[in-house]
Amino acid sequence: MNSPAGRGFTLGFPRDGRRALRGLPAEMFFHQGPPSRPDLPGFLGEWPCAALPSEIAAGNIRAC
């Protein structure tokens, strides 16, 4: 990232991958949110980071 050829972030989902996902039903992408915040929708098997504090408070996530 600090050099002309360096970068600190990935470019994201590949363009050809997006084409392969077209036409699939929304149920494959969106799902129920975490137990402590079911109002937050999940996306592609992940939950929003906004749910992290409530998940920690609920005891569903903890650090070792």
XYZ file of all heavy atoms in Angstrom:
480
model
N 0.815 -1.172 0.000
C 0.000 0.000 0.000
C 0.871 1.253 0.000
O 0.505 2.246 -0.589
C -0.918 -0.011 1.219
C -1.869 1.113 1.265
S -3.086 0.784 2.540
C -3.464 2.420 3.017
N 2.022 1.189 0.637
C 2.886 2.355 0.714
C 3.907 2.420 -0.404
O 4.734 3.315 -0.430
C 3.598 2.387 2.063
C 2.631 2.591 3.198
O 1.618 3.256 3.026
N 2.917 2.023 4.341
N 3.876 1.485 -1.306
C 4.795 1.512 -2.442
C 3.967 1.546 -3.731
O 2.789 1.211 -3.726
C 5.700 0.279 -2.425
O 4.944 -0.881 -2.603
N 4.572 1.959 -4.842
C 3.810 2.057 -6.089
C 3.131 0.745 -6.498
O 2.038 0.761 -7.031
C 4.855 2.472 -7.114
C 5.910 3.159 -6.326
C 5.939 2.463 -4.991
N 3.754 -0.389 -6.248
C 3.162 -1.669 -6.644
C 2.394 -2.331 -5.509
O 1.766 -3.362 -5.703
C 4.254 -2.608 -7.134
N 2.435 -1.741 -4.321
C 1.796 -2.376 -3.176
C 0.338 -2.019 -3.046
O -0.138 -1.031 -3.579
N -0.380 -2.876 -2.351
C -1.768 -2.562 -2.043
C -2.130 -3.287 -0.758
O -1.642 -4.379 -0.480
C -2.681 -2.921 -3.202
C -3.210 -4.289 -3.185
C -4.254 -4.480 -4.296
N -4.625 -5.860 -4.209
C -4.563 -6.719 -5.190
N -4.189 -6.342 -6.375
N -4.898 -7.960 -5.014
N -2.988 -2.685 0.022
C -3.364 -3.264 1.303
C -4.733 -3.902 1.314
O -5.146 -4.455 2.310
N -5.432 -3.815 0.199
C -6.792 -4.325 0.158
C -6.986 -5.174 -1.097
O -6.389 -4.917 -2.124
C -7.797 -3.166 0.138
C -7.591 -2.212 1.272
C -6.886 -1.038 1.076
C -8.070 -2.497 2.528
C -6.680 -0.163 2.119
C -7.865 -1.627 3.574
C -7.169 -0.453 3.369
N -7.863 -6.152 -0.990
C -8.172 -6.948 -2.172
C -9.077 -6.140 -3.099
O -9.680 -5.157 -2.693
C -8.894 -8.261 -1.789
O -10.139 -7.915 -1.201
C -8.061 -9.094 -0.850
N -9.182 -6.560 -4.307
C -10.033 -5.866 -5.268
C -11.495 -6.273 -5.137
O -12.348 -5.756 -5.839
C -9.547 -6.138 -6.692
C -8.155 -5.614 -6.994
C -7.737 -6.024 -8.403
C -8.114 -4.108 -6.848
N -11.799 -7.198 -4.264
C -13.173 -7.612 -4.055
C -13.558 -8.811 -4.893
O -12.711 -9.529 -5.408
N -14.837 -8.997 -5.027
C -15.375 -10.138 -5.767
C -15.007 -10.003 -7.245
O -15.169 -8.938 -7.824
C -16.894 -10.161 -5.584
C -17.511 -11.491 -5.853
C -17.357 -12.531 -4.957
C -18.229 -11.713 -6.993
C -17.926 -13.752 -5.191
C -18.809 -12.926 -7.244
C -18.656 -13.949 -6.332
N -14.503 -11.044 -7.871
C -14.102 -10.934 -9.283
C -15.287 -10.635 -10.196
O -16.404 -11.085 -9.954
C -13.504 -12.301 -9.597
C -13.990 -13.209 -8.548
C -14.298 -12.377 -7.339
N -15.029 -9.882 -11.238
C -16.107 -9.484 -12.144
C -16.790 -10.684 -12.787
O -17.995 -10.716 -12.924
C -15.568 -8.571 -13.234
C -15.177 -7.248 -12.710
C -14.728 -6.367 -13.837
N -14.071 -5.198 -13.263
C -13.843 -4.110 -13.926
N -14.183 -4.033 -15.188
N -13.259 -3.097 -13.352
N -16.023 -11.669 -13.205
C -16.646 -12.835 -13.827
C -17.471 -13.628 -12.819
O -18.413 -14.308 -13.179
C -15.606 -13.715 -14.505
C -14.525 -14.184 -13.535
O -14.406 -13.607 -12.437
O -13.798 -15.117 -13.886
N -17.139 -13.544 -11.544
C -17.926 -14.206 -10.506
C -19.296 -13.586 -10.357
O -20.282 -14.270 -10.097
N -19.372 -12.275 -10.519
C -20.672 -11.605 -10.445
C -21.592 -12.099 -11.556
O -22.777 -12.287 -11.348
C -20.495 -10.094 -10.559
C -19.840 -9.485 -9.365
C -19.712 -7.999 -9.537
N -18.887 -7.470 -8.467
C -18.236 -6.351 -8.534
N -18.305 -5.606 -9.609
N -17.503 -5.933 -7.528
N -21.046 -12.296 -12.721
C -21.839 -12.770 -13.839
C -22.401 -14.158 -13.534
O -23.526 -14.481 -13.886
C -20.980 -12.798 -15.100
C -21.766 -13.032 -16.363
C -20.908 -12.927 -17.613
N -20.160 -11.691 -17.655
C -18.823 -11.620 -17.777
N -18.111 -12.717 -17.898
N -18.196 -10.468 -17.805
N -21.627 -14.981 -12.873
C -22.064 -16.339 -12.553
C -23.189 -16.349 -11.525
O -23.966 -17.301 -11.474
C -20.884 -17.152 -12.043
N -23.293 -15.307 -10.713
C -24.309 -15.261 -9.667
C -25.629 -14.650 -10.116
O -26.610 -14.711 -9.388
C -23.779 -14.456 -8.471
C -22.570 -15.048 -7.763
C -22.097 -14.126 -6.667
C -22.883 -16.420 -7.203
N -25.665 -14.070 -11.291
C -26.903 -13.456 -11.778
C -27.999 -14.500 -11.935
O -27.757 -15.618 -12.365
C -26.675 -12.792 -13.132
C -25.935 -11.523 -13.027
C -25.903 -10.848 -14.378
N -24.850 -9.851 -14.360
C -24.181 -9.458 -15.408
N -24.441 -9.966 -16.587
N -23.247 -8.546 -15.298
N -29.200 -14.106 -11.583
C -30.344 -14.988 -11.751
C -30.589 -15.941 -10.594
O -31.593 -16.641 -10.587
N -29.690 -15.976 -9.624
C -29.907 -16.849 -8.471
C -30.909 -16.198 -7.524
O -30.971 -14.980 -7.414
C -28.586 -17.099 -7.742
C -27.531 -17.869 -8.524
C -26.250 -17.961 -7.725
C -28.027 -19.255 -8.868
N -31.707 -16.985 -6.803
C -32.706 -16.407 -5.907
C -32.058 -15.672 -4.731
O -30.961 -16.016 -4.281
C -33.501 -17.617 -5.420
C -32.641 -18.789 -5.683
C -31.745 -18.437 -6.827
N -32.765 -14.661 -4.222
C -32.248 -13.843 -3.118
C -32.008 -14.669 -1.859
O -31.154 -14.314 -1.042
C -33.219 -12.707 -2.820
N -32.735 -15.773 -1.695
C -32.555 -16.603 -0.498
C -31.137 -17.157 -0.396
O -30.678 -17.517 0.681
C -33.545 -17.773 -0.491
C -34.992 -17.365 -0.425
C -35.555 -16.990 -1.789
O -35.188 -17.626 -2.804
O -36.365 -16.058 -1.832
N -30.447 -17.249 -1.520
C -29.081 -17.765 -1.494
C -28.103 -16.717 -0.973
O -27.013 -17.049 -0.544
C -28.665 -18.217 -2.887
C -29.446 -19.409 -3.385
S -28.797 -20.060 -4.907
C -27.281 -20.799 -4.339
N -28.503 -15.450 -1.024
C -27.611 -14.374 -0.600
C -27.939 -13.864 0.796
O -27.074 -13.673 1.620
C -27.688 -13.202 -1.580
C -27.274 -13.558 -2.967
C -28.217 -13.755 -3.951
C -25.941 -13.723 -3.283
C -27.836 -14.087 -5.231
C -25.555 -14.066 -4.552
C -26.505 -14.247 -5.535
N -29.221 -13.630 1.053
C -29.643 -13.043 2.320
C -30.175 -14.120 3.252
O -30.806 -15.069 2.817
C -30.740 -12.002 2.070
C -30.264 -10.873 1.203
C -30.569 -10.837 -0.145
C -29.489 -9.859 1.734
C -30.125 -9.812 -0.944
C -29.044 -8.825 0.942
C -29.357 -8.797 -0.405
N -29.913 -13.966 4.533
C -30.395 -14.918 5.526
C -30.648 -14.180 6.827
O -30.383 -12.988 6.946
C -29.394 -16.072 5.718
C -28.026 -15.614 6.082
N -27.635 -15.388 7.373
C -26.956 -15.319 5.311
C -26.375 -14.986 7.387
N -25.944 -14.931 6.148
N -31.147 -14.894 7.814
C -31.464 -14.304 9.107
C -30.205 -13.784 9.780
O -29.118 -14.359 9.643
C -32.146 -15.329 9.996
C -32.632 -14.764 11.307
C -33.356 -15.807 12.127
O -33.393 -16.968 11.768
N -33.924 -15.387 13.224
N -30.360 -12.722 10.527
C -29.237 -12.119 11.241
C -28.818 -12.922 12.451
O -29.344 -14.015 12.714
N -27.884 -12.395 13.225
C -27.392 -13.105 14.408
C -28.479 -13.233 15.480
O -29.454 -12.475 15.480
C -26.240 -12.227 14.884
C -26.508 -10.892 14.319
C -27.237 -11.107 13.041
N -28.304 -14.174 16.405
C -29.333 -14.401 17.431
C -29.678 -13.158 18.254
O -30.838 -12.935 18.572
C -28.725 -15.483 18.326
C -27.721 -16.166 17.474
C -27.209 -15.131 16.517
N -28.692 -12.335 18.573
C -28.975 -11.163 19.396
C -29.556 -10.007 18.591
O -30.141 -9.099 19.163
C -27.692 -10.691 20.088
O -26.758 -10.253 19.119
N -29.407 -10.016 17.284
C -29.925 -8.945 16.425
C -30.558 -9.524 15.169
O -30.056 -9.339 14.067
C -28.791 -7.989 16.021
C -28.128 -7.206 17.113
C -29.003 -6.088 17.653
N -29.538 -5.203 16.645
C -28.927 -4.108 16.184
N -27.743 -3.782 16.613
N -29.521 -3.359 15.272
N -31.682 -10.219 15.272
C -32.299 -10.804 14.075
C -32.815 -9.757 13.088
O -33.131 -10.075 11.954
C -33.440 -11.652 14.634
C -33.698 -11.121 15.992
C -32.410 -10.541 16.480
N -32.883 -8.493 13.525
C -33.327 -7.423 12.627
C -32.262 -7.060 11.594
O -32.567 -6.440 10.575
C -33.694 -6.170 13.424
C -32.547 -5.673 14.293
O -31.930 -6.514 14.983
O -32.285 -4.460 14.295
N -31.013 -7.451 11.829
C -29.928 -7.194 10.878
C -29.814 -8.387 9.934
O -29.555 -9.505 10.370
C -28.597 -6.997 11.608
C -28.495 -5.786 12.518
C -27.180 -5.823 13.283
C -28.618 -4.516 11.714
N -29.983 -8.184 8.644
C -29.902 -9.326 7.717
C -28.469 -9.776 7.488
O -27.540 -8.965 7.458
C -30.510 -8.778 6.431
C -30.237 -7.316 6.488
C -30.304 -6.947 7.944
N -28.288 -11.066 7.349
C -26.991 -11.608 6.975
C -26.851 -11.603 5.465
O -27.833 -11.531 4.726
N -25.617 -11.675 4.985
C -25.373 -11.658 3.550
C -24.228 -12.600 3.232
O -23.137 -12.466 3.792
C -25.036 -10.238 3.090
C -24.835 -10.110 1.610
C -25.914 -10.197 0.752
C -23.581 -9.925 1.085
C -25.739 -10.085 -0.611
C -23.389 -9.804 -0.278
C -24.473 -9.884 -1.131
N -24.477 -13.574 2.365
C -23.476 -14.566 1.933
C -22.782 -15.240 3.116
O -21.581 -15.408 3.149
C -22.443 -13.917 1.011
C -22.956 -13.485 -0.354
C -21.845 -12.776 -1.120
C -23.454 -14.674 -1.154
N -23.556 -15.620 4.105
C -23.014 -16.343 5.250
C -22.330 -15.484 6.286
O -21.766 -16.006 7.238
N -22.369 -14.177 6.142
C -21.716 -13.260 7.080
C -22.761 -12.385 7.756
O -23.842 -12.166 7.227
C -20.718 -12.363 6.335
C -19.641 -13.121 5.605
C -18.631 -13.747 6.532
O -18.450 -13.244 7.649
O -18.030 -14.756 6.138
N -22.416 -11.858 8.933
C -23.271 -10.915 9.642
C -22.612 -9.550 9.644
O -21.381 -9.447 9.605
C -23.486 -11.370 11.067
C -24.310 -12.601 11.205
C -25.248 -13.058 10.333
C -24.274 -13.543 12.266
N -25.803 -14.225 10.794
C -25.221 -14.544 11.985
C -23.550 -13.633 13.433
C -25.455 -15.610 12.824
C -23.775 -14.692 14.261
C -24.726 -15.683 13.965
N -23.406 -8.481 9.739
C -22.823 -7.138 9.782
C -22.002 -6.928 11.059
O -22.331 -7.473 12.117
C -24.024 -6.206 9.766
C -25.215 -7.037 9.521
C -24.850 -8.460 9.726
N -20.962 -6.142 10.962
C -20.113 -5.896 12.132
C -20.856 -5.088 13.192
O -20.447 -5.070 14.349
C -18.819 -5.207 11.733
S -19.044 -3.598 10.986
N -21.958 -4.445 12.833
C -22.754 -3.705 13.816
C -23.346 -4.638 14.865
O -23.724 -4.196 15.946
C -23.864 -2.944 13.109
N -23.421 -5.920 14.581
C -23.971 -6.885 15.526
C -22.934 -7.368 16.533
O -23.295 -8.005 17.522
C -24.534 -8.082 14.775
N -21.678 -7.068 16.332
C -20.621 -7.596 17.198
C -20.782 -7.205 18.668
O -20.706 -8.083 19.538
C -19.246 -7.189 16.669
C -18.053 -7.801 17.373
C -18.099 -9.321 17.312
C -16.765 -7.299 16.757
N -21.025 -5.931 19.021
C -21.166 -5.610 20.448
C -22.305 -6.360 21.130
O -22.144 -6.855 22.250
C -21.427 -4.102 20.446
C -20.862 -3.613 19.174
C -21.046 -4.729 18.193
N -23.445 -6.469 20.467
C -24.563 -7.181 21.095
C -24.318 -8.681 21.156
O -24.774 -9.349 22.083
C -25.878 -6.867 20.373
O -25.790 -7.204 19.025
N -23.592 -9.221 20.200
C -23.248 -10.640 20.247
C -22.275 -10.926 21.388
O -22.371 -11.939 22.066
C -22.640 -11.086 18.917
C -23.648 -11.300 17.819
C -24.535 -12.490 18.087
O -24.050 -13.629 18.072
O -25.736 -12.269 18.327
N -21.344 -10.026 21.629
C -20.415 -10.188 22.763
C -21.175 -10.087 24.068
O -20.983 -10.900 24.979
C -19.300 -9.137 22.689
C -18.403 -9.407 21.482
C -18.475 -9.115 23.973
C -17.398 -8.322 21.191
N -22.070 -9.084 24.181
C -22.844 -8.920 25.400
C -23.748 -10.118 25.671
O -23.978 -10.484 26.833
C -23.676 -7.644 25.323
N -24.256 -10.739 24.626
C -25.120 -11.904 24.792
C -24.339 -13.175 25.098
O -24.912 -14.203 25.429
C -25.955 -12.107 23.526
N -23.013 -13.128 24.950
C -22.184 -14.297 25.227
C -22.058 -15.246 24.059
O -21.561 -16.361 24.207
N -22.490 -14.829 22.869
C -22.391 -15.685 21.691
C -21.014 -15.655 21.042
O -20.657 -16.584 20.326
C -23.448 -15.276 20.657
C -24.848 -15.418 21.199
O -25.127 -16.283 22.016
N -25.735 -14.542 20.784
N -20.265 -14.588 21.277
C -18.899 -14.457 20.757
C -17.999 -14.079 21.911
O -18.333 -13.199 22.717
C -18.836 -13.366 19.663
C -19.677 -13.772 18.471
C -17.389 -13.114 19.241
C -19.743 -12.732 17.380
N -16.862 -14.719 21.997
C -15.908 -14.367 23.049
C -14.492 -14.588 22.555
O -14.261 -15.376 21.636
C -16.158 -15.170 24.322
C -16.028 -16.653 24.127
C -16.488 -17.387 25.369
N -16.456 -18.817 25.117
C -15.560 -19.633 25.645
N -14.661 -19.194 26.469
N -15.584 -20.907 25.341
N -13.566 -13.898 23.129
C -12.152 -14.053 22.782
C -11.517 -15.069 23.722
O -11.891 -15.181 24.891
C -11.436 -12.729 22.893
N -10.577 -15.807 23.217
C -9.890 -16.807 24.041
C -8.680 -16.217 24.713
O -8.048 -15.353 24.300
C -9.450 -17.982 23.178
S -10.852 -18.859 22.485
